[in-house]
Structure formats: structure tokens, C-alpha cells
Amino acid sequence: MSDQPYLEFHLHLINGNTHKFVQKDPNSAEQILNQFNLKVFSLPSVIISCDNKIVTYQGSSLMGVSLMMKEIPDEILKMNRNTNIFLQEITEEDFHARHIELKPVVEYQPIVMLNQIEFITGKKIWIEAHIPHAATGIQERQLLHNWFLEKILLCHRIGGGITMWSRAHMMSCTISPKPEVPSNSWPAEPI
């Protein structure tokens, strides 16, 4: 067995802690990956079996799960409902730098959108979304109204791998450039 882990995974908890684990054996890593699915946040428990102990997590206590390995299996990447949109976590500095360069939304044209997401822990992540064609105004309004209805957000993480985030633990999402505004939005400026 190699000293390099075949799989590393991080469990991001709602108390702000991150617990990290590795698996060096490909067969055991495959067993983990086969159990990784969209229901991970609603499981009664996620059980990690270590050499000398067992660690149990309540599924609802997980805010996110990161997987790092040489190649992420297609089955996991396909968990993202809209597979033609590429979501990449970026740094806060990159978010602010790219924000200046954003172009306005033109229906049916490729677009890059930036998202700042804040979780109940206060943790923030920044995501760059590459979208092959912008939605129509009515589709944009529907997306905004239903943004938190999707259970997960699956994105490529900084440094490689992917992270599945629970939308149930997200407090807010800022989207730029500004999509078409729903009629029931509250017009205001931050102070």
C-alpha cells in the first residue's frame, strides 16, 4: 500500500469545525465513494470506522463534504443536476478582482456569474459559475425564488477535488452580475 492516500475527505460541521480523514486502500475508498450520495445530509448518521475507534456524525450536522482524490468519479460529478454549468470555488480576492470584470447578462449568451455564499456558521465561500447560455428573464426570476429549494450545491474546490454543500445550512447567496429582479424583491442598498 502506498503512503499517499487514495482518498482524503473533509466533513464540514455546522459548528464551524472541519474533521479530516484519509483512506490509502483503493477498495476501501471505493466503498466510501459508493455510499456518497445526495442524501448524505439527511442520513440519521454517517459512521467513520477508524483503526481504533468509530466516529458517528448526525447527517444534519454536516454543512459540507469535500472529496479529494486524483480523479473524481463521473457518478459523483453527475450528482449536480445541471451538469453543463461548471462551478468552481475561488478565493475572496479572486472574487473581488473578477467582480470588476463582469459583463452584463445577455439572454442565451455564455456568462460567468459570481456567488458569495454565507453559512449559518459565518463561513463564506466564493464561487465562479461558468454558464453556457444565460437564462431568460422569467427563468432567472424562478431560479432566484427557488435557489434554496435544491438540497445541495456541488462544486470544484480550490486545490482540487469537489465539495458538496448543504443548502439547508446556507444563510444567503449574493449573485453578480445582477439577474433580472423579481417583482417582490426589496429595493435597498447595503450600508
Side-chain angles (χ1 to χ4, degrees):
M1 223 182 303
S2 166
D3 283 344
Q4 284 292 91
Y6 186 82
L7 170 66
E8 179 177 341
F9 62 97
H10 300 175
L11 302 179
H12 308 278
L13 306 179
I14 59 173
N15 67 359
N17 292 337
T18 299
H19 293 197
K20 301 176 182 183
F21 299 90
V22 296
Q23 180 47 258
K24 294 180 181 179
D25 176 57
N27 292 328
S28 296
E30 190 69 31
Q31 180 183 346
I32 295 167
L33 294 172
N34 287 337
Q35 295 181 48
F36 186 75
N37 61 53
L38 297 177
K39 297 177 183 173
V40 70
F41 302 114
S42 59
L43 292 173
S45 59
V46 174
I47 303 167
I48 311 296
S49 174
C50 305
D51 283 342
N52 59 358
K53 65 182 175 183
I54 297 247
V55 184
T56 303
Y57 297 90
Q58 191 173 32
S60 62
S61 71
L62 300 175
M63 189 171 70
V65 179
S66 296
L67 300 176
M68 288 77 67
M69 56 189 305
K70 286 183 182 177
E71 192 172 315
I72 302 297
D74 284 341
E75 297 78 38
I76 291 176
L77 294 174
K78 289 178 183 172
M79 286 185 205
N80 198 8
R81 282 188 57 198
N82 201 339
T83 56
N84 62 342
I85 295 176
F86 182 78
L87 300 172
Q88 174 67 55
E89 288 183 27
I90 58 174
T91 65
E92 182 179 10
E93 295 77 23
D94 286 342
F95 173 85
H96 292 296
R98 292 176 188 161
H99 197 269
I100 296 167
E101 304 165 359
L102 284 178
K103 297 185 176 18
V105 176
V106 177
E107 283 185 10
Y108 306 111
Q109 295 299 308
I111 186 167
V112 173
M113 295 192 97
L114 299 176
N115 298 282
Q116 175 181 292
I117 298 169
E118 185 171 358
F119 291 89
I120 60 173
T121 61
K123 176 183 178 64
K124 293 181 184 177
I125 61 171
W126 297 269
I127 295 179
E128 183 176 74
H130 295 265
I131 303 168
H133 59 278
T136 63
I138 195 165
Q139 290 170 322
E140 285 179 353
R141 292 190 301 274
Q142 279 183 321
L143 289 171
L144 291 172
H145 279 294
N146 297 320
W147 204 89
F148 292 105
L149 291 181
E150 290 288 326
K151 293 187 183 326
I152 62 128
L153 178 71
L154 187 73
C155 58
H156 294 263
R157 65 184 293 280
I158 296 171
I162 59 139
T163 301
M164 180 187 294
W165 295 105
S166 169
R167 290 186 194 232
H169 299 303
M170 294 179 181
M171 296 295 293
S172 66
C173 177
T174 303
I175 302 169
S176 300
K178 181 178 171 181
E180 188 164 318
V181 179
S183 60
N184 65 344
S185 67
W186 299 3
E189 293 298 323
I191 54 173

